[in-house]
Amino acid sequence: MKILVPVKRVPDYEAKIRVNSEKNGIVTDGIKWIVNPFDEIAVEEAIKIRDGGGAEEVVVVGIGPEDSVTQLRYGMAMGADRGILVKHDGYVDSDLASRVLAEVYKKGEYGLIIMGKQSIDSDANQTSQLLAERLNLPQACFASKVELSDGKAIVTREVDGGLETIAVSTPCVISTDLRLNEPRYASLPGIMKAKKKPMEELTLADLGVEDSTKVRILRMNPPAERSAGRKVEDVAALLAALQNEAKVL
Amino acid sequence: MSGSILVFIEQASGEPQKSGLVALEAARQIQAKWGNGSISTLCLGAGAKGAAEAMLQYGVAKALYSEEASFSQYRAIAYEAAFLKGMESVGATVGIAAATTTGKDFLPRCGVQLDAGQASDIIAVNDDGSLRRPMYAGDVLADVEITSEKKLVTVRTSAFAAAEPTATSGTSEELNGVAVGENAGEITSFEASGGDRPELTEADIVVSGGRALQSEENFEKYIFPLADALGAAVGASRAAVDSGYAPNDWQVGQTGKIVAPNLYVAVGISGAIQHLAGMKDSKTIVAINKDPEAPIYEVADFGLVADLYEAVPELTEKVKAAKAG
């Protein structure tokens, strides 16, 4: 079995993101780009499954400009076997991403897709579900534990109010939540090895995918700044402020 | 004229949940801007009939329900099938759900069958009919337009008030003939993390603990008593969750729960961007941290620079005394 792991290039989660003056994008000067943290967890899980004998190959796939190769190479430095970059310079919404990934999936013989539950830039939390439906596969989203056995994935899901365990048939789409695992760091030998691993480049046209989207961003706005309040002396002063100023007690 | 709107209403034992009423409020605002004909609702699972009847006082055209066994436990493929059938039966072109782990999970799947785009986690309906949603952990508020004919929306539950009852006019109706695929899967267990405290996203007051708590035991010893004295829900930072001090569904932040209570008390939380994204719309924010430079103070109305192990028990006692007096 092969595992497909979509990997997205996103700004570092510690970066302070600012809207540009045209209000149609963010200021990218000085931004460090990383693998979407949830996708890193997905790569880690896929590698663990492979190394435990549950799969033969882990393939990372990205959609984006040429630079996205860096994030795919990082996934391969962690241990993925090869990469596929679907080159696309334009805007990608969840719908377009899911159509691209569905075609990539159909071209290989994959038995499982593991991916992040959301990307920390667009925060939409849609692509894994869209992809599952498009491929008519079951899904197990927000996973904190994954076990594969006898053509089934037993997945513990982080849901409102607790932990739910669902058994779905494989192939399926699993989306990762934070506590699934601790992703390893790419080692130096891993980084050296990754440079020699195969990287395939495709276009939307190669996959027969139409370049269209369903959600258009009209403008981007900075959030209202919340002004800092004040420091209080001690617990008594805090209680007084809550009672008399904020009137919340 | 556009078609109607179908809103998914989560229910428990026949009671519509607040998240559903919030989604209904967003639906009313969307209807006013987009000119949709009417609003209908869908409730699923045991007790759905009672919940549907309760929805009639909110002026919905049709309150659909199904108590069939396939919906007794939530499963994405089953709920998707029911929602699609519901949209078809009321002639809906817009589907709306709260951005709970249920709404987030099944609604996108409907988009493929409907050829519909989805705006996730909206926080406002703008005057021009566009929808406002946060991106980049809330550092960007994007105004988006769904360009497909049919449209799907999930609603951030902290961003809208719950809909108020209006005139009763519509009818409740059982939703029949939903075919659930065999690959929907099977729920094998559920481990509730709850307890008697209020639900995090619905609580009026939230007390959250961070990494400085150092252990699960300290959460119990310091955070729980303060929360209980205040009648508050308990939250946690991602760092505290990652360290195993608190369960994941207590996590407040970009990738966890988004809350906006009247009072948010951050204890031993430094205030990483991703945590602020989950609580900075709270009405009053209190930070207790021993590091005077912690970023949490940039959003806190009242900051107390102190050792939490001394300040929190003292605050707990003073709150109890104030409430008793």
Side-chain angles (χ1 to χ4, degrees):
Chain A
M1 181 184 76
K2 294 191 288 184
I3 305 177
L4 185 64
V5 183
V7 165
K8 189 174 182 184
R9 172 185 173 85
V10 298
D12 184 12
Y13 57 86
E14 285 183 337
K16 173 71 190 160
I17 302 295
R18 291 190 315 276
V19 175
N20 67 17
S21 54
E22 293 82 29
K23 291 188 134 196
N24 61 2
I26 61 162
V27 178
T28 52
D29 293 349
I31 293 257
K32 184 181 144 206
W33 297 87
I34 60 167
V35 172
N36 178 42
F38 289 100
D39 300 347
E40 219 176 311
I41 293 170
V43 173
E44 175 68 33
E45 195 66 17
I47 294 169
K48 281 212 287 220
I49 291 170
R50 181 201 60 197
D51 293 349
E56 288 86 53
E57 194 182 32
V58 174
V59 180
V60 285
V61 55
I63 309 165
E66 186 71 48
D67 294 341
S68 311
V69 160
T70 315
Q71 279 65 45
L72 293 174
R73 292 273 177 217
Y74 187 85
M76 291 190 280
M78 285 175 70
D81 300 289
R82 60 186 175 90
I84 301 171
L85 173 64
V86 182
K87 275 179 71 173
H88 184 65
D89 289 326
Y91 165 64
V92 179
D93 68 356
S94 308
D95 172 73
L96 177 55
S98 73
R99 285 185 284 122
V100 168
L101 295 172
E103 294 310 315
V104 170
Y105 177 87
K106 287 182 206 161
K107 277 171 66 90
E109 281 165 13
Y110 298 99
L112 190 63
I113 300 171
I114 308 181
M115 59 200 291
K117 72 165 181 178
Q118 76 191 65
S119 58
I120 61 161
D121 52 358
S122 53
D123 280 336
N125 196 330
Q126 289 186 33
T127 306
S128 55
Q129 299 89 321
L130 285 165
L131 182 57
E133 176 66 34
R134 224 170 262 296
L135 296 169
N136 194 25
L137 295 178
Q139 71 189 37
C141 295
F142 328 138
S144 66
K145 191 176 173 199
V146 173
E147 276 175 67
L148 299 178
S149 73
D150 295 337
K152 275 197 159 53
I154 320 290
V155 179
T156 302
R157 304 176 56 229
E158 305 262 14
V159 298
D160 297 337
L163 294 173
E164 174 204 276
T165 304
I166 187 169
V168 292
S169 54
T170 52
C172 66
V173 178
I174 294 171
S175 86
T176 60
D177 217 318
L178 283 174
R179 294 197 297 180
L180 181 57
N181 59 48
E182 283 272 331
R184 71 195 68 189
Y185 290 102
S187 65
L188 190 59
I191 293 167
M192 300 310 289
K193 252 199 242 171
K195 289 181 179 163
K196 297 197 187 75
K197 289 179 179 174
M199 176 74 73
E200 186 183 359
E201 286 201 4
L202 296 169
T203 62
L204 296 193
D206 293 336
L207 293 165
V209 171
E210 186 198 347
D211 180 9
S212 65
T213 57
K214 292 192 171 74
V215 178
R216 193 154 65 97
I217 297 174
L218 303 175
R219 64 196 157 261
M220 290 184 173
N221 314 283
E225 287 294 323
R226 190 181 177 110
S227 48
R230 60 183 172 85
K231 300 258 169 69
V232 291
E233 269 306 296
D234 51 25
V235 172
L238 174 60
L239 194 74
L242 291 177
Q243 286 174 317
N244 306 326
E245 291 177 53
K247 301 194 191 313
V248 286
L249 288 182
Chain B
M1 187 170 84
S2 313
S4 69
I5 298 176
L6 183 66
V7 184
F8 178 73
I9 308 283
E10 282 174 63
Q11 62 90 24
S13 316
E15 288 285 326
Q17 300 294 287
K18 188 186 168 205
S19 64
L21 299 180
V22 166
L24 178 61
E25 173 59 26
R28 286 178 179 170
Q29 294 185 21
I30 285 173
Q31 181 190 32
K33 296 293 174 211
W34 295 359
N36 299 95
S38 61
I39 298 176
S40 293
T41 55
L42 172 65
C43 295
L44 295 174
K49 184 166 193 267
E53 276 155 12
M55 289 313 297
L56 290 176
Q57 60 180 311
Y58 292 90
V60 301
K62 276 205 178 126
L64 302 174
Y65 66 90
S66 173
E67 297 193 342
E68 274 187 52
S70 17
F71 308 121
S72 59
Q73 285 175 308
Y74 168 76
R75 292 172 306 162
I77 286 177
Y79 276 47
E80 172 205 0
F83 196 77
L84 287 170
K85 186 81 182 176
M87 280 186 74
E88 188 193 321
S89 83
V90 299
T93 53
V94 177
I96 300 179
T100 58
T101 50
T102 295
K104 285 188 221 177
D105 194 51
F106 85 84
L107 200 68
R109 291 189 74 113
C110 300
V112 175
Q113 299 304 323
L114 299 167
D115 205 24
Q118 174 180 312
S120 293
D121 211 20
I122 67 158
I123 56 169
V125 180
N126 295 321
D127 285 341
D128 65 357
S130 62
L131 304 174
R132 181 161 288 190
R133 60 174 304 269
M135 297 173 68
Y136 300 94
D139 279 345
V140 172
L141 303 180
D143 295 331
V144 303
E145 175 191 20
I146 304 169
T147 53
S148 51
E149 193 194 326
K150 292 182 178 163
K151 299 168 172 52
L152 296 171
V153 177
T154 60
V155 178
R156 177 171 288 195
T157 52
S158 62
F160 293 83
E164 296 289 340
T166 53
T168 302
S169 55
T171 51
S172 63
E173 189 177 300
E174 189 171 8
L175 185 70
N176 292 309
V178 181
V180 175
E182 281 177 7
N183 59 354
E186 188 192 341
I187 309 298
T188 57
S189 70
F190 189 88
E191 188 189 316
S193 61
D196 297 334
R197 295 193 187 89
E199 214 278 309
L200 191 50
T201 54
E202 296 184 0
D204 199 42
I205 302 178
V206 174
V207 178
S208 286
R211 203 202 310 261
L213 267 299
Q214 294 177 321
S215 71
E216 195 179 346
E217 291 71 39
N218 284 343
F219 250 79
E220 284 170 23
K221 199 168 154 193
Y222 294 92
I223 299 296
F224 291 7
L226 178 57
D228 293 340
L230 290 165
V234 174
S237 71
R238 176 176 160 178
V241 170
D242 277 350
S243 309
Y245 309 160
N248 191 65
D249 81 320
W250 290 4
Q251 189 204 148
V252 172
Q254 177 189 15
T255 61
K257 298 272 164 64
I258 313 289
V259 301
N262 262 325
L263 174 62
Y264 188 89
V265 184
V267 178
I269 290 177
S270 63
I273 293 170
Q274 80 91 25
H275 184 75
L276 301 184
M279 46 62 81
K280 68 180 175 192
D281 292 327
S282 306
K283 202 157 160 249
T284 298
I285 297 174
V286 168
I288 301 174
N289 198 305
K290 71 176 178 195
D291 173 11
E293 303 301 320
I296 190 78
Y297 289 119
E298 289 166 25
V299 301
D301 298 286
F302 306 112
L304 176 62
V305 181
D307 181 348
L308 75 91
Y309 296 104
E310 288 165 19
V312 171
E314 189 187 342
L315 181 60
T316 305
E317 289 313 312
K318 286 201 156 69
V319 167
K320 277 190 199 163
K323 288 210 165 178

